[in-house]
Amino acid sequence: MGQKADLVLDVKSQLGEGPLWLADQGMLAWVDIEGRCIEFLQLETGERRSISVGARIGAVVESEDGRLVCALQNGLHYLDPETEQLEFIGDPEQDLEGNRFNDGKCDPAGRFWAGTMPLSGPEASGSLYMLDKDGEIHRKVQDIRCSNGLGWSLDGTRMYYIDTPTRRIDVFHYDSATGEISERQPLVEVPSELGSPDGMTVDAEGKIWLAHWGGSCITRWDPATGKQLDKVELPVSQVTSCAFGGKDLDVLYITSARVGLSEEKLAKEPLAGGVFSYIPGVKGLPASRYSSN
């Protein structure tokens, strides 16, 4: 407990989210939701690239065909990283202009899950969706206030999920063959002094690493007991998500945000919006890619 993370890049993302390790390129990607772009950092050379997508972007994942899949405010799209051109897949909420997509991730079977949230207000107008391999988008959970972190157990029978205002990590029974989820139950209750649960990832031992919005930390939890195992402090309050990367998947990369912070707060948190790293002594798992029929 009480370890500290190191700065990787003082990028000052407005709302940095969704770190993703692109193993084939040795590159870290993440989104800046309010900056409406995907950021890329080549770890060995320090070379940077940014792709503007023209709309708020909640998440990005790799597709098996080499493209990226993006969850934008105006629906799900393919993105060709070479041409930077978008190809529309579908928008399940075209009638809900006050919502946007937030966090998303591929399950081990290659389906893309992403959820929505209202741009403002406490309404539970969000939902969690699944983009199936046939390109169809299915609503899996509704009445969500802020759809956030996702993860799966090592044996593929459970899905972990966060609706941030509940202050919980919930667990569903998950059927990897069909993508069906059922039997939602609370798994972890996050203490108020740790801020609100945001993005998460699962390590190679099946434990959950959780980012804390307003909590200046990431934590590690045992899903078998619901107990906290570790805590890593950051010099920024709005910690948004984490993902394993590096050639051995032994580095935890952490995103953060500066949106909504006062000038006084920003003076105390000059690295807000930066990307950080931590060596946890445990490895992660390769990010699953979207697999279409």
Side-chain angles (χ1 to χ4, degrees):
M1 299 279 182
Q3 298 105 151
K4 288 186 165 54
D6 297 314
L7 179 69
V8 173
L9 187 66
D10 183 12
V11 66
K12 291 183 169 47
S13 294
Q14 285 299 304
L15 185 46
E17 258 286 7
L20 172 68
W21 177 247
L22 305 174
D24 293 347
Q25 296 105 289
M27 193 178 290
L28 183 71
W30 66 97
V31 301
D32 183 349
I33 296 175
E34 292 299 330
R36 305 181 183 208
C37 64
I38 309 169
E39 302 279 6
F40 301 87
L41 174 66
Q42 170 60 247
L43 267 299
E44 279 194 11
T45 65
E47 183 181 348
R48 288 181 56 194
R49 180 187 180 194
S50 181
I51 298 180
S52 174
V53 292
R56 291 183 179 91
I57 174 168
V60 62
V61 296
E62 283 188 286
S63 172
E64 287 186 344
D65 65 8
R67 292 183 292 178
L68 302 173
V69 184
C70 306
L72 304 184
Q73 185 168 341
N74 54 352
L76 305 182
H77 294 72
Y78 282 113
L79 172 69
D80 185 324
E82 299 301 319
T83 65
E84 302 188 2
Q85 294 300 302
L86 291 166
E87 179 187 328
F88 182 68
I89 297 172
D91 184 0
E93 295 195 348
Q94 54 190 359
D95 58 331
L96 294 174
E97 293 182 3
N99 275 10
R100 69 163 173 83
F101 270 98
N102 199 40
D103 210 347
K105 199 169 285 184
C106 286
D107 67 19
R111 306 176 188 93
F112 180 40
W113 296 70
T116 59
M117 60 177 284
L119 286 166
S120 61
E123 292 82 13
S125 60
S127 296
L128 177 65
Y129 296 92
M130 181 190 78
L131 173 64
D132 213 335
K133 298 182 180 188
D134 60 4
E136 291 294 316
I137 301 171
H138 305 274
R139 184 162 70 177
K140 309 298 285 186
V141 186
Q142 53 188 3
D143 300 324
I144 298 297
R145 284 187 286 168
C146 180
S147 188
N148 232 315
L150 289 154
W152 286 265
S153 62
L154 298 186
D155 65 2
T157 64
R158 288 167 293 162
M159 186 180 88
Y160 309 124
Y161 178 63
I162 292 168
D163 178 7
T164 290
T166 65
R167 310 194 53 78
R168 297 192 313 263
I169 303 173
D170 287 347
V171 60
F172 290 86
H173 174 75
Y174 166 75
D175 186 331
S176 61
T178 64
E180 289 303 313
I181 55 174
S182 59
E183 301 173 30
R184 181 178 183 175
Q185 294 180 328
L187 181 70
V188 168
E189 302 275 353
V190 176
S192 58
E193 62 268 20
L194 290 179
S196 299
D198 203 318
M200 64 174 156
T201 192
V202 176
D203 66 29
E205 295 178 356
K207 307 298 192 291
I208 295 170
W209 290 87
L210 175 64
H212 294 259
W213 179 273
S216 304
C217 67
I218 57 171
T219 53
R220 188 183 191 221
W221 300 81
D222 186 343
T225 64
K227 295 286 190 288
Q228 183 182 335
L229 302 174
D230 207 349
K231 180 182 178 186
V232 181
E233 296 173 0
L234 284 95
V236 295
S237 58
Q238 296 178 165
V239 186
T240 56
S241 193
C242 54
F244 282 89
K247 66 180 187 341
D248 296 321
L249 291 175
D250 59 351
V251 181
L252 196 58
Y253 290 101
I254 306 158
T255 48
S256 68
R258 56 196 291 112
V259 67
L261 294 177
S262 65
E263 290 300 319
E264 183 182 7
K265 272 264 200 180
L266 286 171
K268 293 177 180 174
E269 297 182 32
L271 299 178
V275 177
F276 300 85
S277 68
Y278 175 67
I279 310 291
V282 63
K283 294 186 178 184
L285 303 164
S288 297
R289 297 174 178 177
Y290 175 62
S291 173
S292 59
N293 285 344

mmCIF file of all heavy atoms in Angstrom, residues 128-159:
data_model
loop_
_atom_site.group_PDB
_atom_site.id
_atom_site.type_symbol
_atom_site.label_atom_id
_atom_site.label_comp_id
_atom_site.label_asym_id
_atom_site.label_seq_id
_atom_site.Cartn_x
_atom_site.Cartn_y
_atom_site.Cartn_z
ATOM 1 N N LEU A 128 -25.769 -0.196 -21.576
ATOM 2 C CA LEU A 128 -24.592 -0.944 -21.983
ATOM 3 C C LEU A 128 -24.955 -1.752 -23.222
ATOM 4 O O LEU A 128 -25.972 -2.451 -23.235
ATOM 5 C CB LEU A 128 -24.125 -1.881 -20.868
ATOM 6 C CG LEU A 128 -22.939 -2.781 -21.205
ATOM 7 C CD1 LEU A 128 -21.672 -1.973 -21.460
ATOM 8 C CD2 LEU A 128 -22.696 -3.804 -20.081
ATOM 9 N N TYR A 129 -24.111 -1.637 -24.266
ATOM 10 C CA TYR A 129 -24.378 -2.294 -25.540
ATOM 11 C C TYR A 129 -23.272 -3.289 -25.862
ATOM 12 O O TYR A 129 -22.144 -3.158 -25.408
ATOM 13 C CB TYR A 129 -24.461 -1.261 -26.667
ATOM 14 C CG TYR A 129 -25.612 -0.304 -26.510
ATOM 15 C CD1 TYR A 129 -25.429 0.909 -25.850
ATOM 16 C CD2 TYR A 129 -26.878 -0.605 -27.009
ATOM 17 C CE1 TYR A 129 -26.481 1.804 -25.693
ATOM 18 C CE2 TYR A 129 -27.935 0.282 -26.860
ATOM 19 C CZ TYR A 129 -27.735 1.488 -26.194
ATOM 20 O OH TYR A 129 -28.779 2.352 -26.036
ATOM 21 N N MET A 130 -23.619 -4.257 -26.714
ATOM 22 C CA MET A 130 -22.659 -5.219 -27.223
ATOM 23 C C MET A 130 -22.730 -5.237 -28.739
ATOM 24 O O MET A 130 -23.805 -5.442 -29.321
ATOM 25 C CB MET A 130 -22.954 -6.623 -26.686
ATOM 26 C CG MET A 130 -21.976 -7.694 -27.147
ATOM 27 S SD MET A 130 -22.554 -9.362 -26.709
ATOM 28 C CE MET A 130 -23.816 -9.645 -27.977
ATOM 29 N N LEU A 131 -21.575 -4.972 -29.390
ATOM 30 C CA LEU A 131 -21.468 -5.119 -30.837
ATOM 31 C C LEU A 131 -21.059 -6.554 -31.108
ATOM 32 O O LEU A 131 -19.938 -6.973 -30.814
ATOM 33 C CB LEU A 131 -20.422 -4.144 -31.397
ATOM 34 C CG LEU A 131 -20.077 -4.287 -32.886
ATOM 35 C CD1 LEU A 131 -21.289 -3.983 -33.755
ATOM 36 C CD2 LEU A 131 -18.900 -3.389 -33.250
ATOM 37 N N ASP A 132 -21.995 -7.322 -31.669
ATOM 38 C CA ASP A 132 -21.734 -8.741 -31.905
ATOM 39 C C ASP A 132 -20.867 -8.918 -33.153
ATOM 40 O O ASP A 132 -20.611 -7.970 -33.910
ATOM 41 C CB ASP A 132 -23.056 -9.503 -32.051
ATOM 42 C CG ASP A 132 -22.979 -10.924 -31.520
ATOM 43 O OD1 ASP A 132 -21.864 -11.482 -31.481
ATOM 44 O OD2 ASP A 132 -24.027 -11.481 -31.145
ATOM 45 N N LYS A 133 -20.441 -10.155 -33.384
ATOM 46 C CA LYS A 133 -19.534 -10.431 -34.495
ATOM 47 C C LYS A 133 -20.198 -10.226 -35.856
ATOM 48 O O LYS A 133 -19.513 -10.047 -36.859
ATOM 49 C CB LYS A 133 -18.991 -11.858 -34.374
ATOM 50 C CG LYS A 133 -18.173 -12.083 -33.100
ATOM 51 C CD LYS A 133 -17.631 -13.494 -33.072
ATOM 52 C CE LYS A 133 -16.817 -13.729 -31.818
ATOM 53 N NZ LYS A 133 -16.111 -15.022 -31.842
ATOM 54 N N ASP A 134 -21.532 -10.258 -35.869
ATOM 55 C CA ASP A 134 -22.245 -10.060 -37.134
ATOM 56 C C ASP A 134 -22.538 -8.589 -37.413
ATOM 57 O O ASP A 134 -23.226 -8.263 -38.389
ATOM 58 C CB ASP A 134 -23.546 -10.864 -37.145
ATOM 59 C CG ASP A 134 -24.489 -10.464 -36.014
ATOM 60 O OD1 ASP A 134 -24.174 -9.513 -35.260
ATOM 61 O OD2 ASP A 134 -25.545 -11.110 -35.868
ATOM 62 N N GLY A 135 -22.024 -7.704 -36.557
ATOM 63 C CA GLY A 135 -22.228 -6.273 -36.766
ATOM 64 C C GLY A 135 -23.485 -5.716 -36.139
ATOM 65 O O GLY A 135 -23.736 -4.506 -36.212
ATOM 66 N N GLU A 136 -24.293 -6.578 -35.504
ATOM 67 C CA GLU A 136 -25.511 -6.121 -34.839
ATOM 68 C C GLU A 136 -25.167 -5.570 -33.449
ATOM 69 O O GLU A 136 -24.304 -6.117 -32.752
ATOM 70 C CB GLU A 136 -26.512 -7.270 -34.700
ATOM 71 C CG GLU A 136 -27.107 -7.738 -36.021
ATOM 72 C CD GLU A 136 -27.980 -6.683 -36.670
ATOM 73 O OE1 GLU A 136 -28.790 -6.056 -35.958
ATOM 74 O OE2 GLU A 136 -27.832 -6.469 -37.888
ATOM 75 N N ILE A 137 -25.867 -4.503 -33.052
ATOM 76 C CA ILE A 137 -25.659 -3.880 -31.745
ATOM 77 C C ILE A 137 -26.842 -4.242 -30.848
ATOM 78 O O ILE A 137 -28.001 -4.019 -31.215
ATOM 79 C CB ILE A 137 -25.537 -2.349 -31.862
ATOM 80 C CG1 ILE A 137 -24.354 -1.984 -32.780
ATOM 81 C CG2 ILE A 137 -25.355 -1.720 -30.481
ATOM 82 C CD1 ILE A 137 -24.281 -0.501 -33.124
ATOM 83 N N HIS A 138 -26.554 -4.799 -29.684
ATOM 84 C CA HIS A 138 -27.601 -5.245 -28.756
ATOM 85 C C HIS A 138 -27.494 -4.479 -27.441
ATOM 86 O O HIS A 138 -26.399 -4.353 -26.892
ATOM 87 C CB HIS A 138 -27.453 -6.748 -28.470
ATOM 88 C CG HIS A 138 -27.438 -7.601 -29.698
ATOM 89 N ND1 HIS A 138 -28.579 -8.065 -30.296
ATOM 90 C CD2 HIS A 138 -26.398 -8.069 -30.447
ATOM 91 C CE1 HIS A 138 -28.261 -8.791 -31.364
ATOM 92 N NE2 HIS A 138 -26.947 -8.806 -31.475
ATOM 93 N N ARG A 139 -28.632 -4.015 -26.943
ATOM 94 C CA ARG A 139 -28.636 -3.391 -25.615
ATOM 95 C C ARG A 139 -28.711 -4.491 -24.560
ATOM 96 O O ARG A 139 -29.630 -5.316 -24.590
ATOM 97 C CB ARG A 139 -29.814 -2.425 -25.461
ATOM 98 C CG ARG A 139 -29.763 -1.709 -24.116
ATOM 99 C CD ARG A 139 -30.623 -0.465 -24.091
ATOM 100 N NE ARG A 139 -32.036 -0.790 -24.117
ATOM 101 C CZ ARG A 139 -33.009 0.133 -24.042
ATOM 102 N NH1 ARG A 139 -32.703 1.423 -23.960
ATOM 103 N NH2 ARG A 139 -34.271 -0.229 -24.077
ATOM 104 N N LYS A 140 -27.737 -4.484 -23.626
ATOM 105 C CA LYS A 140 -27.637 -5.547 -22.631
ATOM 106 C C LYS A 140 -28.087 -5.101 -21.237
ATOM 107 O O LYS A 140 -28.574 -5.913 -20.452
ATOM 108 C CB LYS A 140 -26.193 -6.058 -22.557
ATOM 109 C CG LYS A 140 -25.600 -6.434 -23.907
ATOM 110 C CD LYS A 140 -26.352 -7.560 -24.589
ATOM 111 C CE LYS A 140 -26.049 -8.899 -23.958
ATOM 112 N NZ LYS A 140 -26.675 -10.011 -24.713
ATOM 113 N N VAL A 141 -27.848 -3.835 -20.888
ATOM 114 C CA VAL A 141 -28.266 -3.300 -19.588
ATOM 115 C C VAL A 141 -28.784 -1.896 -19.835
ATOM 116 O O VAL A 141 -28.216 -1.145 -20.637
ATOM 117 C CB VAL A 141 -27.082 -3.240 -18.581
ATOM 118 C CG1 VAL A 141 -27.585 -2.829 -17.194
ATOM 119 C CG2 VAL A 141 -26.341 -4.565 -18.510
ATOM 120 N N GLN A 142 -29.871 -1.514 -19.156
ATOM 121 C CA GLN A 142 -30.373 -0.154 -19.293
ATOM 122 C C GLN A 142 -30.483 0.507 -17.921
ATOM 123 O O GLN A 142 -30.100 -0.061 -16.908
ATOM 124 C CB GLN A 142 -31.716 -0.140 -20.013
ATOM 125 C CG GLN A 142 -32.772 -1.030 -19.425
ATOM 126 C CD GLN A 142 -34.009 -1.110 -20.321
ATOM 127 O OE1 GLN A 142 -34.063 -0.550 -21.417
ATOM 128 N NE2 GLN A 142 -35.023 -1.831 -19.853
ATOM 129 N N ASP A 143 -30.964 1.757 -17.909
ATOM 130 C CA ASP A 143 -31.094 2.553 -16.675
ATOM 131 C C ASP A 143 -29.732 2.757 -16.007
ATOM 132 O O ASP A 143 -29.566 2.592 -14.801
ATOM 133 C CB ASP A 143 -32.085 1.900 -15.699
ATOM 134 C CG ASP A 143 -33.472 1.756 -16.299
ATOM 135 O OD1 ASP A 143 -33.875 2.667 -17.049
ATOM 136 O OD2 ASP A 143 -34.131 0.736 -16.050
ATOM 137 N N ILE A 144 -28.734 3.121 -16.824
ATOM 138 C CA ILE A 144 -27.373 3.350 -16.361
ATOM 139 C C ILE A 144 -27.127 4.863 -16.286
ATOM 140 O O ILE A 144 -27.517 5.608 -17.191
ATOM 141 C CB ILE A 144 -26.361 2.701 -17.330
ATOM 142 C CG1 ILE A 144 -26.573 1.187 -17.382
ATOM 143 C CG2 ILE A 144 -24.927 3.051 -16.954
ATOM 144 C CD1 ILE A 144 -26.345 0.473 -16.088
ATOM 145 N N ARG A 145 -26.436 5.289 -15.236
ATOM 146 C CA ARG A 145 -26.133 6.722 -15.105
ATOM 147 C C ARG A 145 -24.772 7.089 -15.686
ATOM 148 O O ARG A 145 -24.604 8.143 -16.269
ATOM 149 C CB ARG A 145 -26.216 7.149 -13.643
ATOM 150 C CG ARG A 145 -27.651 7.284 -13.146
ATOM 151 C CD ARG A 145 -27.722 7.873 -11.762
ATOM 152 N NE ARG A 145 -27.313 6.912 -10.741
ATOM 153 C CZ ARG A 145 -27.073 7.238 -9.475
ATOM 154 N NH1 ARG A 145 -27.161 8.498 -9.080
ATOM 155 N NH2 ARG A 145 -26.728 6.317 -8.603
ATOM 156 N N CYS A 146 -23.777 6.222 -15.528
ATOM 157 C CA CYS A 146 -22.463 6.492 -16.102
ATOM 158 C C CYS A 146 -21.771 5.162 -16.358
ATOM 159 O O CYS A 146 -21.051 4.648 -15.494
ATOM 160 C CB CYS A 146 -21.622 7.375 -15.185
ATOM 161 S SG CYS A 146 -19.982 7.741 -15.842
ATOM 162 N N SER A 147 -21.994 4.600 -17.543
ATOM 163 C CA SER A 147 -21.412 3.301 -17.875
ATOM 164 C C SER A 147 -19.898 3.427 -17.922
ATOM 165 O O SER A 147 -19.355 4.311 -18.569
ATOM 166 C CB SER A 147 -21.936 2.820 -19.231
ATOM 167 O OG SER A 147 -21.532 1.494 -19.481
ATOM 168 N N ASN A 148 -19.218 2.514 -17.219
ATOM 169 C CA ASN A 148 -17.775 2.664 -17.091
ATOM 170 C C ASN A 148 -17.045 1.332 -17.233
ATOM 171 O O ASN A 148 -17.299 0.576 -18.148
ATOM 172 C CB ASN A 148 -17.435 3.399 -15.789
ATOM 173 C CG ASN A 148 -16.518 4.577 -16.057
ATOM 174 O OD1 ASN A 148 -15.547 4.461 -16.797
ATOM 175 N ND2 ASN A 148 -16.830 5.719 -15.468
ATOM 176 N N GLY A 149 -16.128 1.030 -16.306
ATOM 177 C CA GLY A 149 -15.182 -0.065 -16.473
ATOM 178 C C GLY A 149 -15.805 -1.424 -16.739
ATOM 179 O O GLY A 149 -16.887 -1.759 -16.243
ATOM 180 N N LEU A 150 -15.085 -2.224 -17.531
ATOM 181 C CA LEU A 150 -15.486 -3.587 -17.890
ATOM 182 C C LEU A 150 -14.302 -4.527 -17.721
ATOM 183 O O LEU A 150 -13.145 -4.133 -17.889
ATOM 184 C CB LEU A 150 -15.933 -3.638 -19.358
ATOM 185 C CG LEU A 150 -17.255 -2.966 -19.710
ATOM 186 C CD1 LEU A 150 -17.239 -2.538 -21.168
ATOM 187 C CD2 LEU A 150 -18.415 -3.933 -19.463
ATOM 188 N N GLY A 151 -14.595 -5.790 -17.398
ATOM 189 C CA GLY A 151 -13.552 -6.807 -17.307
ATOM 190 C C GLY A 151 -14.184 -8.186 -17.239
ATOM 191 O O GLY A 151 -15.391 -8.309 -16.985
ATOM 192 N N TRP A 152 -13.368 -9.219 -17.459
ATOM 193 C CA TRP A 152 -13.869 -10.592 -17.446
ATOM 194 C C TRP A 152 -12.961 -11.467 -16.605
ATOM 195 O O TRP A 152 -11.733 -11.250 -16.547
ATOM 196 C CB TRP A 152 -13.941 -11.144 -18.871
ATOM 197 C CG TRP A 152 -15.083 -10.559 -19.635
ATOM 198 C CD1 TRP A 152 -16.327 -11.096 -19.787
ATOM 199 C CD2 TRP A 152 -15.109 -9.302 -20.338
ATOM 200 N NE1 TRP A 152 -17.123 -10.265 -20.530
ATOM 201 C CE2 TRP A 152 -16.404 -9.147 -20.874
ATOM 202 C CE3 TRP A 152 -14.166 -8.277 -20.544
ATOM 203 C CZ2 TRP A 152 -16.778 -8.031 -21.615
ATOM 204 C CZ3 TRP A 152 -14.543 -7.165 -21.279
ATOM 205 C CH2 TRP A 152 -15.832 -7.054 -21.806
ATOM 206 N N SER A 153 -13.546 -12.462 -15.955
ATOM 207 C CA SER A 153 -12.763 -13.397 -15.151
ATOM 208 C C SER A 153 -11.911 -14.275 -16.069
ATOM 209 O O SER A 153 -12.211 -14.438 -17.255
ATOM 210 C CB SER A 153 -13.686 -14.266 -14.294
ATOM 211 O OG SER A 153 -14.544 -15.045 -15.114
ATOM 212 N N LEU A 154 -10.864 -14.852 -15.502
ATOM 213 C CA LEU A 154 -9.944 -15.656 -16.316
ATOM 214 C C LEU A 154 -10.618 -16.880 -16.923
ATOM 215 O O LEU A 154 -10.253 -17.320 -18.020
ATOM 216 C CB LEU A 154 -8.744 -16.105 -15.464
ATOM 217 C CG LEU A 154 -7.854 -14.993 -14.894
ATOM 218 C CD1 LEU A 154 -6.648 -15.605 -14.205
ATOM 219 C CD2 LEU A 154 -7.420 -14.002 -15.964
ATOM 220 N N ASP A 155 -11.611 -17.424 -16.229
ATOM 221 C CA ASP A 155 -12.278 -18.618 -16.757
ATOM 222 C C ASP A 155 -13.425 -18.281 -17.707
ATOM 223 O O ASP A 155 -14.097 -19.176 -18.236
ATOM 224 C CB ASP A 155 -12.777 -19.514 -15.613
ATOM 225 C CG ASP A 155 -13.876 -18.860 -14.778
ATOM 226 O OD1 ASP A 155 -14.288 -17.714 -15.092
ATOM 227 O OD2 ASP A 155 -14.315 -19.485 -13.796
ATOM 228 N N GLY A 156 -13.651 -16.987 -17.948
ATOM 229 C CA GLY A 156 -14.656 -16.581 -18.921
ATOM 230 C C GLY A 156 -16.093 -16.785 -18.501
ATOM 231 O O GLY A 156 -16.995 -16.777 -19.340
ATOM 232 N N THR A 157 -16.348 -16.929 -17.200
ATOM 233 C CA THR A 157 -17.721 -17.157 -16.747
ATOM 234 C C THR A 157 -18.346 -15.940 -16.063
ATOM 235 O O THR A 157 -19.541 -15.945 -15.776
ATOM 236 C CB THR A 157 -17.785 -18.334 -15.747
ATOM 237 O OG1 THR A 157 -17.049 -17.982 -14.567
ATOM 238 C CG2 THR A 157 -17.211 -19.597 -16.362
ATOM 239 N N ARG A 158 -17.548 -14.909 -15.819
ATOM 240 C CA ARG A 158 -18.062 -13.727 -15.124
ATOM 241 C C ARG A 158 -17.621 -12.452 -15.838
ATOM 242 O O ARG A 158 -16.509 -12.391 -16.369
ATOM 243 C CB ARG A 158 -17.571 -13.695 -13.678
ATOM 244 C CG ARG A 158 -18.225 -14.748 -12.778
ATOM 245 C CD ARG A 158 -17.489 -14.895 -11.468
ATOM 246 N NE ARG A 158 -16.160 -15.467 -11.687
ATOM 247 C CZ ARG A 158 -15.177 -15.405 -10.808
ATOM 248 N NH1 ARG A 158 -15.346 -14.769 -9.666
ATOM 249 N NH2 ARG A 158 -14.010 -15.950 -11.072
ATOM 250 N N MET A 159 -18.499 -11.469 -15.840
ATOM 251 C CA MET A 159 -18.177 -10.149 -16.377
ATOM 252 C C MET A 159 -18.293 -9.118 -15.257
ATOM 253 O O MET A 159 -19.284 -9.115 -14.511
ATOM 254 C CB MET A 159 -19.124 -9.763 -17.511
ATOM 255 C CG MET A 159 -18.743 -8.452 -18.193
ATOM 256 S SD MET A 159 -19.856 -7.989 -19.538
ATOM 257 C CE MET A 159 -21.109 -7.081 -18.631
#
